[in-house]
Amino acid sequence: MSDLLVRAARGERTERPPVWLMRQAGRYIPEYRDIREQYSFKEAIKTPEVAERITLLPWELFQPDGLVMFSDILTVLEPLGFDYHIESGVGPVVSNPVMSPDDVPMESNDVATEIDYVGKLLTRLQNSVGDRTSIIGFAGGPYTLASYVVGDESASRKPIRRFRANHPDAFRDLLEAFTDVVCEYVEYQVEHGADVVQVFDTWAGVLTPDDYREFVLPLHKRIFDAIDVPSIVFARHPGGKLDLLRESGADVVGLDWTVDMADARETLGDTPVQGNLDPSYLLGNPEFIREKTHDVIENAGDSGHILNLGHGIDRNTPVENAKAFVEAAKEIDR
């Protein structure tokens, strides 16, 4: 296994920053769009050979230091009995949402049985490229998962926040249910070959620091305690919660593009970080991308930094621009 990413996640000084992109194997790649014409999103993630093919597309294009498995954070809805689909132009739609405390699931099915296709994908990836790069698994965080199953879609996640205000006990039960499943799921990923695991609790950034501390932080600690490989936590727009994210137990704190890298490094001290180029910068020309990427690398320092975007890559990004971003990291020689 190429361990550059793993070493950076452990806080070590590296000869250059390891680099990968969130939503790495996505719609900006023409070959991905071709595959998706043959398979629906759920068909693609549930068919290991198809998911492997999609996962490997970035490797064939620019050989990043980590390959993130092609899957979705909503796969863990299945063991809890939720039915979902991806609606074009809308996003995830849950057919049986939580509308009242009575809808909160009290038990779950076995993760290894319900989503065994993820384990099969990870095994295939380890067999195909696992000795040349790090395989990245991932899961959704409990608050983000809950935000998708409660009520209707909202950019500010108001339905889940309303549910928390009106039904605090049921809100806590829902987060606990997701935490139990996520703990089982991340252990399953490591058993099947994940070298690094990222937890996307993207929407936890909308919480007040007090709510994050009370409701989510203890659950994050449980999840990261269950991960035996380097781990990354990511919340979009974390605001004044960087210290709390450090307390989560994750080895690395992911930073979105709204966070000043130099300030974050000062706040977090020796805690490794990931990020955080503004994804819109990849819509510029290659020289601009190189310049801005090098600024991030310089501000992050020469140890404990995984280069990434501050959020997922934009679907309109030219492939050559994604390649320019990766090459900007690879040309660093410390």
Side-chain angles (χ1 to χ4, degrees):
M1 179 188 74
S2 172
D3 66 349
L4 189 66
L5 191 150
V6 170
R7 288 191 285 120
R10 290 173 176 162
E12 298 178 18
R13 186 183 189 280
T14 51
E15 53 271 28
R16 64 169 177 83
V19 57
W20 66 284
L21 298 82
M22 289 191 281
R23 292 184 190 156
Q24 187 165 259
R27 292 172 292 180
Y28 71 103
I29 301 177
E31 290 84 352
Y32 171 84
R33 297 195 293 269
D34 292 342
I35 293 171
R36 284 295 313 284
E37 288 182 359
Q38 304 172 51
Y39 301 91
S40 71
F41 182 78
K42 289 183 75 172
E43 288 172 339
I45 65 174
K46 290 188 173 189
T47 309
E49 56 270 28
V50 176
E52 179 191 24
R53 175 69 186 128
I54 294 172
T55 302
L56 291 176
L57 290 175
W59 179 256
E60 296 164 358
L61 290 168
F62 41 74
Q63 297 191 345
D65 298 301
L67 277 182
V68 58
M69 66 180 187
F70 179 72
S71 188
D72 194 84
I73 65 169
L74 298 186
T75 55
V76 295
L77 267 60
E78 297 177 27
L80 286 168
F82 292 106
D83 182 39
Y84 76 96
H85 65 278
I86 307 298
E87 194 169 304
S88 179
V90 176
V93 176
V94 177
S95 303
N96 51 337
V98 172
M99 304 298 292
S100 75
D102 292 339
D103 298 323
V104 175
M106 292 293 103
E107 57 184 26
S108 65
N109 295 324
D110 179 63
V111 165
T113 301
E114 289 285 326
I115 45 182
D116 64 324
Y117 50 87
V118 173
K120 293 176 181 177
L121 168 61
L122 287 167
T123 298
R124 294 177 71 98
L125 292 173
Q126 279 293 350
N127 290 337
S128 58
V129 293
D131 59 341
R132 292 178 284 168
T133 190
S134 295
I135 306 302
I136 304 170
F138 67 89
Y143 182 80
T144 296
L145 294 169
S147 76
Y148 282 114
V149 303
V150 173
D152 57 349
E153 175 67 17
S154 168
S156 62
R157 318 318 295 177
K158 285 184 179 178
I160 184 64
R161 294 159 69 193
R162 185 183 306 120
F163 192 80
R164 174 258 179 273
N166 292 319
H167 310 289
D169 290 338
F171 173 75
R172 194 183 298 275
D173 289 342
L174 182 60
L175 296 187
E176 291 278 356
F178 275 121
T179 300
D180 290 342
V181 171
V182 170
C183 285
E184 187 177 345
Y185 185 41
V186 294
E187 290 174 333
Y188 175 74
Q189 291 182 33
V190 174
E191 289 171 1
H192 285 79
D195 301 309
V196 176
V197 175
Q198 175 157 320
V199 175
F200 289 88
D201 219 342
T202 310
W203 288 109
V206 306
L207 291 169
T208 68
D210 284 345
D211 275 354
Y212 176 81
R213 184 183 293 106
E214 177 181 357
F215 291 100
V216 179
L217 180 58
L219 307 182
H220 279 180
K221 289 181 177 180
R222 280 179 50 197
I223 292 168
F224 289 112
D225 281 347
I227 301 174
D228 291 332
V229 296
S231 57
I232 306 166
V233 62
F234 178 80
R236 188 167 61 176
H237 306 331
K241 294 186 284 292
L242 287 181
D243 280 336
L244 292 172
L245 291 170
R246 175 173 54 186
E247 292 179 32
S248 70
D251 296 297
V252 181
V253 174
L255 308 173
D256 82 347
W257 75 96
T258 67
V259 177
D260 182 84
M261 175 62 77
D263 289 348
R265 297 246 64 175
E266 183 176 354
T267 299
L268 295 171
D270 293 334
T271 300
V273 297
Q274 176 177 275
N276 67 337
L277 190 75
D278 184 337
S280 72
Y281 287 173
L282 295 194
L283 302 177
N285 63 62
E287 185 53 38
F288 174 80
I289 294 167
R290 179 179 177 275
E291 175 188 345
K292 292 298 184 181
T293 301
H294 284 178
D295 286 345
V296 171
I297 294 170
E298 181 178 356
N299 288 329
D302 59 7
S303 64
H305 175 227
I306 299 168
L307 180 64
N308 207 314
L309 303 180
H311 199 250
I313 186 170
D314 188 282
R315 64 183 298 176
N316 297 310
T317 301
V319 169
E320 57 269 25
N321 287 13
K323 184 175 182 180
F325 171 69
V326 172
E327 290 180 344
K330 292 187 175 183
E331 68 189 20
I332 299 296
D333 184 15
R334 293 171 176 154

